[in-house]
Amino acid sequence: MSTQLTPDAIERMFTGADGSYAFARWGRPIAPIVFGVEDSTLDVVKGAIEAVVALAGHQMSETDPELGVNLMFFFFRDWQELTELRDLDRLVPDLVPLVGRLEAAGANQYRIFRFDADGAIKACFVFLRMDKEMSALPAETLALSQVVQCALLWSETAFADASPLAKMPDSGSVILRPDIAALIRAAYDPAMPSVSRDASHALRLAARVAQR
């Protein structure tokens, strides 16, 4: 299990490649939908969403009054399948060039966030190409990992060196790392802002993680 995150480590988790700090959490209840999976996997994904939302102390909803649904998961085998989905190009501008870039890069996942006027997250689109690597993961592991990465606006490299998940030493079951769980709870503390571009925000997060 990982130990408590340091302020510097937290700052890096929300610092982009350009060196700027960019934190955002959801500013509205999450209304999810999942495409491309069987009912058994659908239940696993929805269970992971419910668990992370409950952990954060946030809310879920059947529908979003503006968008209908605001957290969309797409599971598929080939990136070109996205170009065949009706009206997806209305939700994702420049969809065809994006698919081309993802194919060229050999990517197996991609996330797009949308933000409200204040900068809080209002929608997220998650695209998962089920290649050999993805398909080898247990559904519970894949679902929890992806939901965690939708909970906040993490940097591109936040989990490049270490997964947000951990294995229980006795049972081998996969859980959310305690330090990441504490960070998500701190990020959704009502006293904390929904959006921040100031790196000192990481110090405030670290203080709340320590309190927990």
Side-chain angles (χ1 to χ4, degrees), residues 12-129:
R12 288 193 297 272
M13 290 183 135
F14 301 104
T15 301
D18 62 356
S20 63
Y21 186 88
F23 167 89
R25 68 188 187 197
W26 283 82
R28 60 180 64 191
I30 294 175
I33 191 168
V34 183
F35 299 98
V37 297
E38 298 177 352
D39 288 346
S40 57
T41 304
L42 174 63
D43 291 340
V44 171
V45 176
K46 289 192 172 180
I49 296 170
E50 290 170 356
V52 174
V53 169
L55 166 74
H58 195 54
Q59 302 84 37
M60 291 184 67
S61 175
E62 289 294 324
T63 59
D64 179 275
E66 178 186 352
L67 304 170
V69 291
N70 55 29
L71 176 57
M72 301 183 186
F73 283 84
F74 297 86
F75 291 78
F76 50 90
R77 295 288 179 182
D78 187 278
W79 285 111
Q80 285 297 327
E81 293 178 39
L82 295 182
T83 64
E84 301 167 4
L85 293 178
R86 182 179 178 182
D87 295 332
L88 184 59
D89 55 346
R90 297 173 60 185
L91 296 172
V92 182
D94 300 320
L95 177 63
V96 172
L98 173 62
V99 165
R101 292 195 299 273
L102 293 170
E103 281 184 321
N108 60 13
Q109 59 184 291
Y110 191 72
R111 279 171 295 280
I112 299 174
F113 288 91
R114 295 285 181 263
F115 305 94
D116 62 24
D118 295 324
I121 299 170
K122 75 173 184 178
C124 181
F125 308 101
V126 183
F127 303 105
L128 300 171
R129 181 172 68 86

Side-chain angles (χ1 to χ4, degrees), residues 150-211:
C150 301
L152 298 169
L153 181 65
W154 307 96
S155 76
E156 304 92 330
T157 58
F159 302 113
D161 298 326
S163 168
L165 309 184
K167 278 190 176 182
M168 295 291 289
D170 51 351
S171 65
S173 59
V174 175
I175 63 167
L176 182 58
R177 275 169 38 195
D179 55 346
I180 299 300
L183 179 56
I184 291 174
R185 285 196 298 267
Y188 278 87
D189 187 316
M192 295 291 287
S194 297
V195 180
S196 180
R197 299 293 182 264
D198 188 336
S200 65
H201 173 264
L203 295 173
R204 297 178 62 192
L205 283 175
R208 279 166 172 76
V209 168
Q211 289 172 2

